Amino acid sequence: MSLPPFQTLLDSHGATVHRFLVAAVGPSDAEDCFQEACIAALRAYPRLEHSDNLRAWLLKIAQRKAIDAHRARARRPVPVEHAPEPASPGMPAVPVNGQPVWARVRELPEKQRMAVFLRSVADLSYADVARALDCSQDAARRNVHEGLKRLREEMQS
Amino acid sequence: MNDGLDRDLAEAAGTLPTGPSLDALRRLAKRAKQEGVLDVAYAQVDSPLGPLTVAATDRGLVRVAYPDHTLDSVLEVLSREISPRVLEAPERLDPIRRELDEYFEGHLRRFATKIDWSLTADGFFRKVLRTTARIGYGKVLTYGEVAAKAGSPKAVRATGNGLGSNPMPVVVPCHRVVRTGGALGGYTGGIERKEFLLALERG
């Protein structure tokens, strides 16, 4: 069995992994997470037993790094310089941590949060969400739906 | 279902960056090297003979490819024969890039870059290429002379095949091997390139 060169993987799926991370952990943590995820992927790559669905494999590694970053962030106080600044007149307010809707998704329970990001940002099928989260397809579907349902309820309240 | 949430998610997705920055990719290549998880680094190097793909391992230069080979096909062979941990890492190839620039300007007569022979099985072909690597700038040997120096004076045809398989043209100067009587013989990158290199070295 022969694996594609890692650079080819990065060229094909690096953008998706990066976008997923920017949404899941915010633009500033995403840069570190991206490096960590790629290094972890490179480390494991030669031992990979098949080359099926390398995108889901990369996202599985990336979502673990996103969970680590999220937990680390929850443990540390928010530094003052990261506090959102008031938008200057005429400029759209771009929060430091990205779009407000991502901030709300980030409040969901871990499984729902990752399932929603993988589905809505990385555009994975439920089968691939299941692969990335190491769960059944039913569980992947349920997590996406329950997460979205919860967000809708919050929007209405 | 198309509601406020779907709209928010779609709008937010539209603001995401299109991918990691070039700087992020450069840092990745650097860090991969530091952590020992970069096995094959490659870069494209401009030359008068077209853009060359050059690749190196920790042991040295492993591949120089003319643009007749697609980048994908070059990388696939490296992935299969050496390691799938292949990354574009231009900084890692800076030393050989400089040497190639100087060579094509006519200033460099001997490449100092170390060579990794991994892509050539340890046998007669490798002996032929090692012999060829010792032919000096501006000198030529015949296929028969190379065969003899490689230890098999009768293996003239196999010598030609070995040179044809040279994974590092220009640096391992297979262009310096010609037919008895002065005809150029074949060349891995096409006969025009062989003529160009020999003319360059005649100065």
Side-chain angles (χ1 to χ4, degrees):
Chain A
M1 199 247 350
S2 105
L3 294 163
F6 194 83
Q7 184 68 47
T8 307
L9 225 67
L10 209 54
D11 292 344
S12 311
H13 311 305
T16 304
V17 170
H18 185 255
R19 285 162 63 85
F20 162 76
L21 288 168
V22 171
V25 299
S28 56
D29 282 355
E31 297 308 317
D32 277 349
C33 279
F34 181 75
Q35 302 281 329
E36 294 289 334
C38 289
I39 295 291
L42 270 167
R43 189 162 282 131
Y45 193 45
R47 295 189 307 274
L48 205 61
E49 278 163 11
H50 59 81
S51 58
D52 309 340
N53 217 324
L54 293 167
R55 186 169 70 136
W57 175 74
L58 277 177
L59 283 160
K60 179 179 186 164
I61 296 171
Q63 70 88 22
R64 284 197 205 118
K65 297 297 176 191
I67 287 173
D68 289 350
H70 194 270
R71 289 179 186 163
R73 175 175 280 248
R75 281 195 300 269
R76 70 174 186 251
V78 179
V80 174
E81 66 261 55
H82 282 198
E85 283 173 23
S88 39
M91 293 284 288
V94 179
V96 175
N97 289 327
Q99 294 295 312
V101 66
W102 304 141
R104 297 204 328 266
V105 180
R106 275 179 231 140
E107 298 299 315
L108 292 172
E110 205 161 273
K111 287 263 171 176
Q112 292 178 14
R113 185 195 335 142
M114 286 306 153
V116 169
F117 279 131
L118 289 168
R119 182 85 180 117
S120 65
V121 180
D123 213 19
L124 294 192
S125 64
Y126 287 112
D128 284 351
V129 173
R131 270 185 203 106
L133 294 178
D134 243 338
C135 65
S136 70
Q137 232 182 102
D138 280 348
R141 201 180 286 270
R142 206 163 50 240
N143 276 315
V144 172
H145 287 191
E146 280 171 14
L148 293 176
K149 194 173 139 207
R150 196 154 162 166
L151 291 170
R152 285 196 174 94
E153 285 164 5
E154 285 170 7
M155 282 174 88
Q156 274 150 25
S157 63
Chain B
M1 196 174 351
N2 205 335
D3 59 11
L5 178 61
D6 286 329
R7 198 187 54 233
D8 286 357
L9 287 172
E11 269 177 20
T15 68
L16 289 171
T18 50
S21 65
L22 281 178
D23 186 54
L25 295 172
R26 203 169 304 135
R27 269 185 289 131
L28 173 62
K30 203 166 177 181
R31 170 129 183 249
K33 168 70 184 138
Q34 283 163 357
E35 305 235 355
V37 292
L38 170 54
D39 297 333
V40 183
Y42 76 89
Q44 307 264 14
V45 174
D46 284 333
S47 85
L49 299 177
L52 307 174
T53 302
V54 294
T57 67
D58 281 345
R59 288 193 283 185
L61 183 72
V62 76
R63 184 80 173 100
V64 175
Y66 284 123
D68 331 348
H69 301 268
T70 66
L71 179 61
D72 280 352
S73 70
V74 173
L75 299 186
E76 265 162 38
V77 170
L78 292 166
S79 181
R80 191 175 64 234
E81 301 293 326
I82 298 176
S83 161
R85 295 202 286 215
V86 179
L87 276 185
E88 185 172 11
E91 283 174 29
R92 289 265 295 126
L93 280 305
D94 276 349
I96 182 65
R97 182 200 315 277
R98 275 193 293 271
E99 285 203 307
L100 284 165
D101 285 349
E102 286 172 25
Y103 170 79
F104 283 114
E105 285 161 12
H107 301 318
L108 184 99
R109 295 182 157 248
R110 193 190 174 90
F111 287 93
T113 297
K114 280 190 185 153
I115 285 175
D116 177 346
W117 296 98
S118 300
L119 290 180
T120 305
D122 196 3
F124 184 63
F125 278 13
R126 198 184 284 191
K127 277 188 199 144
V128 166
L129 293 175
R130 279 181 179 280
T131 301
T132 304
R134 287 192 286 268
I135 306 174
Y137 189 91
K139 305 264 169 33
V140 291
L141 289 185
T142 64
Y143 289 92
E145 286 168 330
V146 172
K149 281 177 186 281
S152 306
K154 287 183 180 159
V156 178
R157 182 177 291 266
T159 296
N161 292 339
L163 292 166
S165 75
N166 181 10
M168 282 161 283
V170 183
V171 176
V172 173
C174 57
H175 58 276
R176 293 177 196 155
V177 185
V178 298
R179 286 214 185 123
T180 316
L184 288 184
Y187 186 58
T188 170
I191 202 68
E192 302 79 10
R193 290 200 176 106
K194 190 171 191 171
E195 281 168 350
F196 176 93
L197 293 170
L198 289 172
L200 172 78
E201 296 186 8
R202 278 194 300 268

